[in-house]
Amino acid sequence: MSRIDEHPILGETKKGREVEFTFDGKKMKGYENEPIAIALKANGVMIHRYTKKEHKPRGLFCAIGRCTDCVMVVDGKPNIRTCVTPLKEGMEVRTQDGTKAAG
Amino acid sequence: MKRYEVIIVGAGPSGLSAAIEAAKRGVKVIVFDENEKPGGQLFKQIHKFFGSKEHHAKVRGFRIGDELLEEAAKLGVEVVLNATVVGLYSDKEVVVKIDESIHHYKGDTVIIATGAAENMVTFPGWTLPGVIGAGAAQTMMNLHGIQPGKKILMLGSGNVGLVVSFQLIQAGCEVVAIVDAAPRVGGYGVHAAKVARTGVPFYLSHTIKEVSGEDCVTGVTINEVDEHFTPIPGSEKTFDVDTVCLAVGLSPMSQLLKMAGCEMEDNPKRGGQVPIVDEYGQCSVDGIFAVGDVSGIEEASSAMIEGKMAGVCVSEYLGYIDEAEKKEELAKFDKDLSSLRQGMFAPENRGKVIEKTEEGIDISKNLLRNGFVADDEIERFPGVVHKVGVHPVIECTQNIPCNPCQDACSKGCISIGNNITCLPFVKDDSQCINCGMCVANCSGQAIFLVDEDLGDGSATVTLPYEFTPLPEVGTKGFGLSRSGEKICEAEVVSIKSVKAFDHTNLLTMKVPKEYAMKARFFKCS
Ligand SMILES: Cc1cc2nc3c(=O)[nH]c(=O)nc-3n(C[C@H](O)[C@H](O)[C@H](O)COP(=O)(O)OP(=O)(O)OC[C@H]3O[C@@H](n4cnc5c(N)ncnc54)[C@H](O)[C@@H]3O)c2cc1C
Ligand code: SF4
Ligand code: SF4
Ligand code: FES
């Protein structure tokens, strides 16, 4: 999905410093302190986790930290709500499978 | 346990307004909000608000939020962010989770201003990545600057569905349809009309049959429903989309009040489970107040007044003002609030089918069914007039509490009448100087400036334009009808963008004269 470069009302979006992070081992770029989920979306990632019982994909849903659909394994810690967790340089983000990292 | 005179939960418009009123009178106030940024819903709203000057009308939502925050900060209100209130007891003990730790506070009074949560609906495929809430769409595009999707179907034609659809188009996304199971558009007609004229089709009496896709959304199928909401076989339509956005209503987040033992009721007119409150927000538990959406889904404008009322009440409760002063202040707010709660969309009219305006004019059926007023309906409204030279044409056809158009015109061309909900009309003896202020200030983007006959077979239509890229003068394209259909050739002859318009550009297009009263949007070829 694309970032909005020039918004008719809001103008240019204020962004932090560009930083590198990894998603399932793959290098990606995002902006420091934006929610991890936004950086993933900008990189085209839709699936954040698979449900435990039925192995069904889940992605960003409420974007305000309420639904827990977007949880992932971040720096080894599972169940991190990526929609409200700021992105930092070098973060390791992994798809969550049930309660663990996938793969 | 730390003690405060008043603890406010929620830093949205109602919570901040309550904080300001109390702090003004010397009360020691603390506000908790679960978000990283204060302001509640306001920070996602980039449109100009309805109402009157006193209710911040024609100011964009996020600016109202900034104003409230600044005022609160000046008064020394303590706002604690990333702080989720997880418990409230009848003795006004408040349990707050900050980071991973739990803190206990005690309030002499507590004001609950937690707002509302989005409702959900289920259908096959609703859990697929790409199905999102309308609030999520707003968070992504208006706070974080990213498109929620490329091609989007909106479920819900209430104000949230309509406003968010418009915002999606502003963010450069394509809205393929607005779908609603109800037989009539739920939100303001002017919000519907500004989306419809860009070419978005409305499917009323339709609902989502299923969303398809393996790993994420790739399509959606809708079908028509009869008056009992039963699907009509063979009525399916499928759209290729990557995103389905849900705007199917809000419910008050009243759990904390229930936990504290406040008497509750299930009231559909107020949006669900709400506390039983007196006219100033006092709940059944002494010293606990509820204000804003949590005590009944309404608008930011009414939420702010409710907040102010509770702020005054706690000041009196705590002895900072006397009974007489409280009564005097509250009387003022009473008047404001009752003027807002009028018109076709007033809480008491929820669920009613209204056939005529207060003036006795038949409501446009097409507006309720398809999102735009039909050509053969528009002439009956008082804002739609014909004159020689440039003149305003006001396509505002429902009774809503709003009047910036009247204040905008320094020449006195526009009047709302005695009541803020009356339909605006153009005064007979007035002379329009083509300044454009009415077009830019109309919260509903419902005013056009028309010169019906330039003498050479053409006419000009000036319309509000809030999209990028902004076409340049000389750009050729098409005039679109109110329904968003290409109906004639058009050329941009002027673009006006001045600071006073606050990002609403005025685009003037030249069209053949027979389309002067029909062409209402411009699209480049
Ligand atoms: C798309 C859209 C368009 C709108 N357009 C208009 C308009 O044009 N004009 C208008 O007047 N109104 C409009 N509104 C309505 C308006 O935004 C709301 O009515 C208003 O924001 C309600 O204010 P509030 O203070 O009650 O709640 P909110 O603004 O929702 O604020 C509540 C705050 O409390 C926080 N909170 C909740 N629970 C907790 C907890 N347990 N602990 C800590 N914090 C908590 C929330 O996170 C939030 O920040 C619109 C709304 C939407 C969604
Ligand atoms: S263009 Fe200016 S003068 Fe004409 S009606 Fe609008 S505000 Fe009044
Ligand atoms: S025409 Fe006037 S009353 Fe109608 S939406 Fe515009 S500003 Fe509000
Ligand atoms: S998307 Fe709902 S918690 Fe993150």
Side-chain angles (χ1 to χ4, degrees):
Chain A
M1 274 340 129
S2 331
R3 296 195 185 260
I4 305 161
D5 294 325
E6 186 65 43
H7 190 284
I9 309 301
L10 301 167
E12 237 177 281
T13 322
K14 277 196 207 89
K15 298 181 188 113
R17 175 172 74 99
E18 195 176 56
V19 293
E20 223 168 59
F21 68 101
T22 62
F23 166 68
D24 288 343
K26 233 179 18 222
K27 274 199 181 130
M28 285 184 177
K29 284 193 174 121
Y31 295 100
E32 189 170 46
N33 290 330
E34 69 179 353
I36 298 170
I38 299 299
L40 289 172
K41 195 158 178 64
N43 283 281
V45 176
M46 292 294 287
I47 301 173
H48 287 225
R49 67 177 177 104
Y50 291 94
T51 57
K52 195 168 176 184
K53 276 202 202 121
E54 296 188 42
H55 198 75
K56 290 276 200 300
R58 290 285 186 278
L60 205 52
F61 182 72
C62 73
I64 50 169
R66 287 211 184 120
C67 73
T68 69
D69 269 2
C70 69
V71 300
M72 300 178 85
V73 182
V74 177
D75 291 337
K77 255 173 77 184
N79 297 324
I80 300 295
R81 292 172 305 167
T82 52
C83 68
V84 288
T85 307
L87 181 72
K88 303 286 174 202
E89 171 96 71
M91 257 183 176
E92 283 178 27
V93 182
R94 293 195 158 273
T95 308
Q96 184 164 321
D97 196 351
T99 51
K100 308 183 296 289
Chain B
M1 199 174 340
K2 224 170 163 182
R3 201 179 178 103
Y4 280 88
E5 288 179 319
V6 52
I7 296 178
I8 299 178
V9 187
S14 65
L16 288 176
S17 300
I20 290 167
E21 285 307 310
K24 252 190 214 166
R25 293 173 173 82
V27 179
K28 192 173 166 211
V29 185
I30 189 165
V31 186
F32 295 108
D33 195 286
E34 62 190 350
N35 296 299
E36 190 191 5
K37 285 191 193 124
Q41 282 292 334
L42 285 178
F43 278 102
K44 299 180 201 170
Q45 307 311 338
I46 59 171
H47 60 288
K48 294 180 178 172
F49 272 37
F50 291 86
S52 69
K53 244 196 328 254
E54 303 79 62
H55 308 132
H56 304 261
K58 81 174 168 65
V59 179
R60 296 187 191 275
F62 65 99
R63 295 221 170 84
I64 302 175
D66 284 338
E67 285 169 19
L68 290 176
L69 272 182
E70 206 176 296
E71 199 177 345
K74 257 194 228 144
L75 291 165
V77 171
E78 195 179 335
V79 180
V80 185
L81 300 172
N82 295 311
T84 309
V85 174
V86 293
L88 173 67
Y89 302 102
S90 57
D91 65 350
K92 285 162 273 186
E93 183 184 332
V94 174
V95 187
V96 192
K97 191 166 157 240
I98 302 173
D99 293 325
E100 290 309 306
S101 58
I102 297 286
H103 304 256
H104 296 261
Y105 296 85
K106 179 90 186 212
D108 296 328
T109 57
V110 173
I111 300 175
I112 299 297
T114 45
E118 292 184 271
N119 297 342
M120 282 306 128
V121 281
T122 60
F123 40 76
W126 78 284
T127 59
L128 274 175
V131 177
I132 59 172
Q138 289 194 301
T139 304
M140 290 183 225
M141 60 191 172
N142 298 341
L143 292 182
H144 302 303
I146 192 157
Q147 292 179 337
K150 288 281 176 214
K151 291 181 93 173
I152 302 168
L153 180 132
M154 176 66 69
L155 183 67
S157 71
N159 274 333
V160 176
L162 298 174
V163 167
V164 175
S165 293
F166 191 76
Q167 292 177 358
L168 284 163
I169 305 168
Q170 291 182 305
C173 313
E174 184 188 342
V175 178
V176 301
I178 296 180
V179 175
D180 201 311
R184 281 171 293 271
V185 169
Y188 288 176
V190 285
H191 277 322
K194 71 183 188 192
V195 178
R197 65 174 172 257
T198 70
V200 178
F202 282 61
Y203 292 91
L204 276 293
S205 297
H206 275 74
T207 191
I208 293 181
K209 184 178 180 211
E210 62 178 351
V211 167
S212 52
E214 266 311 300
D215 289 337
C216 56
V217 175
T218 54
V220 54
T221 302
I222 63 170
N223 56 218
E224 202 174 339
V225 293
D226 64 17
E227 63 271 34
H228 310 293
F229 298 103
T230 317
I232 300 174
S235 65
E236 289 82 3
K237 287 170 204 73
T238 299
F239 300 86
D240 285 335
V241 295
D242 53 39
T243 305
V244 171
C245 194
L246 309 180
V248 291
L250 301 168
S251 296
M253 286 215 290
S254 54
Q255 297 87 339
L256 288 171
L257 293 159
K258 194 170 180 185
M259 193 189 284
C262 297
E263 269 176 59
M264 310 290 288
E265 66 169 346
D266 201 14
N267 186 338
K269 290 213 159 140
R270 288 160 68 195
Q273 270 284 313
V274 286
I276 294 176
V277 290
D278 73 3
E279 61 207 301
Y280 306 120
Q282 165 73 59
C283 299
S284 66
V285 177
D286 188 47
I288 297 184
F289 292 77
V291 293
D293 280 355
V294 71
S295 67
I297 307 293
E298 275 184 80
E299 300 265 286
S301 32
S302 41
M304 285 186 272
I305 303 175
E306 286 180 25
K308 287 183 188 173
M309 287 175 157
V312 168
C313 289
V314 299
S315 305
E316 192 260 347
Y317 187 101
L318 297 162
Y320 284 87
I321 57 173
D322 60 23
E323 176 87 27
E325 190 178 345
K326 170 174 123 174
K327 281 220 171 103
E328 195 184 316
E329 294 285 319
L330 290 178
K332 238 179 15 208
F333 297 138
D334 272 336
K335 213 166 126 243
D336 279 359
L337 199 55
S338 63
S339 82
L340 277 178
R341 287 187 177 150
Q342 287 167 22
M344 300 178 37
F345 295 86
E348 63 184 44
N349 283 333
R350 233 162 254 175
K352 272 195 213 155
V353 180
I354 293 179
E355 310 255 351
K356 283 189 190 297
T357 69
E358 287 163 16
E359 293 81 0
I361 304 168
D362 287 337
I363 301 283
S364 157
K365 291 223 163 65
N366 209 60
L367 179 63
L368 298 179
R369 192 69 194 172
N370 298 310
F372 59 91
V373 182
D375 290 348
D376 61 357
E377 296 171 322
I378 196 74
E379 296 283 343
R380 64 177 182 247
F381 295 98
V384 180
V385 291
H386 300 274
K387 285 187 171 210
V388 177
V390 176
H391 62 88
V393 172
I394 312 174
E395 305 194 351
C396 181
T397 66
Q398 295 173 324
N399 301 113
I400 53 175
C402 183
N403 70 4
C405 47
Q406 166 176 287
D407 289 338
C409 185
S410 61
K411 292 286 157 193
C413 299
I414 301 172
S415 174
I416 286 276
N418 352 343
N419 196 330
I420 189 173
T421 55
C422 293
L423 297 183
F425 62 94
V426 181
K427 286 202 220 150
D428 272 342
D429 52 351
S430 62
Q431 190 55 51
C432 170
I433 54 162
N434 196 12
C435 70
M437 286 307 284
C438 55
V439 179
N441 279 350
C442 168
S443 322
Q445 305 204 354
I447 305 183
F448 304 86
L449 295 172
V450 181
D451 190 340
E452 294 176 47
D453 191 354
L454 297 184
D456 61 355
S458 62
T460 55
V461 179
T462 300
L463 52 98
Y465 196 89
E466 293 190 347
F467 304 101
T468 44
L470 188 60
E472 280 169 25
V473 171
T475 306
K476 293 208 163 68
F478 300 95
L480 305 194
S481 65
R482 297 184 181 88
S483 67
E485 250 175 281
K486 285 182 190 168
I487 48 168
C488 60
E489 290 188 347
E491 180 182 340
V492 178
V493 292
S494 149
I495 293 280
K496 247 202 229 170
S497 337
V498 300
K499 196 142 185 255
F501 294 169
D502 187 13
H503 294 85
T504 309
N505 306 289
L506 264 49
L507 182 154
T508 305
M509 62 180 177
K510 195 162 151 178
V511 295
K513 128 181 168 201
E514 52 280 24
Y515 293 102
M517 293 307 277
K518 294 192 170 132
R520 288 296 176 264
F521 195 65
F522 176 80
K523 200 167 193 124
C524 308
S525 40

